[in-house]
């Protein structure tokens, strides 16, 4: 008998002839997430991947916890793998039922069998009926409920028999690395880490750019962004974080551009720098945490003016979200408590009292053209610091 984990694929099952290549990327990602815990064997079988620790003393709870954060997995199930003779199947089922009895002696249950080995002496329905009957005889306090059971005993007959009672939901999505690379503009707020999470969930490898305005923003604000990126990397894998000094550019905007336009001009220059860095990274798109109408720089007119600054696609996965929705997801992925730490980022420095909410593209282009930002942009890029966050 061996303790293993069964991985159930979600969307990957729909990939047809390409499914195997997607599964290979998923296994690579699982190996990376599980590396601190030891070495594992991975076996693909139809829409299931079996993960078996080489060391039988490996903590299966830690293994399951790590796997729940891997994009591309629908669910994980800690399972017992045994020989598929009927006596072994029954004794293993009793072992699992004994654990459930300890928690609640009066539970309802059903047996759910799947028989991949069509040469097995009993079909799926026969296993359901016979094993259910034996459990009822052995445990008089339990009852069958095939519609809403409190315990579902799953039995999978493959090369071995795999039995389990838990199916733990996971992150779902697509394996990171199957959709290319994009660059996230990450601030110290709530929204941008959530936006990065959502796009990594669709299979994108993330790099990130953060703009800081020391001494107007503190070292703690910078450290906060590093911490947020590290939390995001638990799901997205290693992230190349570029820390870009923005003080000179921001001060020039504040001193030489119309006050009401400063926020939108700042966003345009951030996008230009981010695109330059993204191109060096081999990224094909930018990602922001903007949501329509949330602040003055996120009106439809402002977003159109911001888009005009770059030629890359700009992904805004939160565009239709309410703030409460974003906060809920931030709590779910574990970034919320760090995001609300009271350290300002450069987006909150020098905010105009009356920012333009419906900027005219031609006006913004004209205001921006009055100042030669080219040398400052080059300095910002060359002076940026690269950190590899894992």
């Amino acid at each position: 008998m061996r303790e293993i984990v069964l991985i159930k694929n979600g969307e990957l099952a729909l990939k047809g002839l390409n499914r195997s290549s997607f599964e290979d990327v998923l296994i690579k990602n699982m190996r990376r997430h599980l590396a601190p815990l030891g070495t594992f064997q991975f076996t693909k079988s139809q829409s299931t991947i079996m993960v078996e620790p080489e060391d039988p003393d490996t903590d299966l709870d830690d293994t399951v916890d790590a796997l729940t954060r891997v994009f591309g997995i629908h669910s994980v199930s800690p399972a017992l793998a045994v020989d598929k003779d009927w006596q072994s199947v029954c004794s293993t089922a009793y072992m699992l039922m004994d654990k459930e009895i300890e928690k609640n002696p009066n539970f309802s249950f059903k047996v759910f069998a799947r028989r991949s080995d069509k040469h097995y002496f009993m079909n799926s329905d026969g296993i359901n009926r016979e094993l259910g009957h034996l459990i009822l005889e052995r445990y008089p306090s339990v009852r069958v409920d095939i519609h809403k059971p409190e315990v579902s005993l799953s039995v999978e007959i493959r090369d071995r028999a795999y039995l389990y009672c838990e199916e733990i939901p996971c992150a779902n999505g697509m394996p990171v690395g199957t959709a290319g690379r994009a660059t996230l503009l990450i601030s110290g707020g709530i929204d941008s880490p959530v936006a990065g999470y959502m796009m990594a969930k669709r299979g994108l490898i993330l790099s990130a750019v953060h703009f800081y305005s020391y001494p107007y923003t503190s070292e703690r604000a910078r450290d906060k962004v590093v911490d947020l990126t590290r939390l995001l990397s638990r799901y997205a894998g290693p992230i190349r974080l570029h820390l870009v000094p923005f003080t000179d550019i921001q001060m020039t905007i504040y001193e030489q551009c119309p006050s009401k336009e400063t926020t939108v001009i700042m966003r345009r220059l951030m996008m230009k720098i981010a695109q330059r860095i993204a191109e060096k990274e081999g990224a094909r798109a930018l990602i922001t945490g903007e949501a329509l109408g949330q602040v003055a720089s996120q009106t439809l007119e402002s977003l159109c003016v911001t888009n005009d600054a770059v030629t890359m696609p700009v992904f805004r996965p939160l565009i239709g979200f309410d703030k409460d929705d974003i906060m809920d997801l931030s709590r779910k992925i574990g970034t919320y408590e760090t995001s609300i730490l009271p350290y300002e980022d450069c987006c909150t420095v020098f905010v105009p009292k009356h920012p333009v909410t419906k900027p005219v593209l031609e006006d913004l282009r004209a205001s921006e053209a009055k100042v030669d930002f080219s040398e400052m942009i080059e300095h910002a890029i060359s002076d940026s610091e690269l950190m590899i966050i894992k």
Side-chain angles (χ1 to χ4, degrees), residues 37-256:
L37 303 177
T39 54
F40 296 78
Q41 293 180 357
F42 297 84
T43 305
K44 295 191 289 186
S45 177
Q46 297 173 330
S47 60
T48 301
I49 299 174
M50 278 80 86
V51 181
E52 187 168 348
E54 292 187 359
D55 182 353
D57 294 328
T58 299
D59 191 311
L60 217 62
D61 289 338
D62 289 344
T63 301
V64 168
D65 180 63
L67 291 171
T68 58
R69 295 191 294 272
V70 179
F71 291 128
I73 300 176
H74 172 70
S75 65
V76 298
S77 295
L80 297 175
V82 299
D83 293 335
K84 54 188 174 183
D85 63 274
W86 186 241
Q87 183 176 353
S88 296
V89 170
C90 292
S91 61
T92 306
Y94 298 152
M95 185 184 305
L96 291 173
M97 291 296 101
D98 286 343
K99 292 181 179 179
E100 297 299 329
I101 286 285
E102 290 177 4
K103 294 183 282 187
N104 174 17
N106 304 111
F107 61 83
S108 61
F109 80 99
K110 77 170 182 178
V111 178
F112 181 64
R114 282 171 286 215
R115 186 191 61 154
S116 297
D117 178 4
K118 301 306 180 184
H119 299 291
Y120 197 65
F121 77 99
M122 195 182 304
N123 63 20
S124 298
D125 187 57
I127 296 171
N128 292 339
R129 293 177 181 275
E130 182 61 23
L131 191 54
H133 171 70
L134 293 173
I135 290 171
L136 284 173
E137 282 190 334
R138 186 179 180 92
Y139 305 100
S141 64
V142 304
R143 65 191 186 282
V144 172
D145 185 342
I146 62 172
H147 299 294
K148 293 183 178 180
E150 294 168 288
V151 175
S152 181
L153 172 62
S154 293
V155 181
E156 299 191 17
I157 306 296
R158 300 174 180 267
D159 58 319
R160 294 178 286 180
Y162 301 89
L163 290 86
Y164 56 93
C165 291
E166 285 186 282
E167 192 163 344
I168 302 165
C170 295
N172 245 321
M174 300 297 293
V176 171
T178 57
R181 180 185 291 273
T183 296
L184 171 69
L185 281 76
I186 186 166
S187 69
I190 294 171
D191 303 341
S192 54
V194 175
Y197 168 90
M198 292 185 67
M199 295 315 301
K201 185 175 180 177
R202 297 312 307 158
L204 285 173
I205 299 171
L206 298 182
S207 54
V209 176
H210 172 68
F211 297 90
Y212 66 93
S213 293
Y214 185 81
Y216 300 100
T217 57
S218 67
E219 286 293 320
R220 287 186 175 183
R222 178 181 177 278
D223 294 342
K224 172 183 173 181
V225 170
V226 173
D227 290 341
L228 283 172
T229 307
R230 186 168 288 112
L231 291 170
L232 181 57
S233 72
R234 296 189 307 162
Y235 300 91
I239 298 174
R240 293 169 61 85
L241 173 62
H242 298 262
L243 299 163
V244 180
F246 201 62
T247 309
D248 289 347
I249 293 175
Q250 198 159 13
M251 287 299 297
T252 302
I253 294 171
Y254 176 69
E255 293 169 355
Q256 301 187 35

Side-chain angles (χ1 to χ4, degrees), residues 179-184 204-207 274-275 277-287 310-315:
R181 180 185 291 273
T183 296
L184 171 69
L204 285 173
I205 299 171
L206 298 182
S207 54
Q275 174 166 295
I277 292 173
E279 289 169 345
K280 291 182 178 180
E281 290 281 316
R284 304 290 294 274
L286 301 176
I287 304 167
V310 294
T311 56
M312 274 186 174
V314 181
F315 296 153

Side-chain angles (χ1 to χ4, degrees), residues 254-272:
Y254 176 69
E255 293 169 355
Q256 301 187 35
C257 296
S259 175
K260 66 179 182 179
E261 296 176 351
T262 54
T263 300
V264 179
I265 292 174
M266 179 190 72
R267 292 293 296 174
R268 283 175 58 87
L269 294 175
M270 284 180 171
M271 298 291 274
K272 289 181 179 182

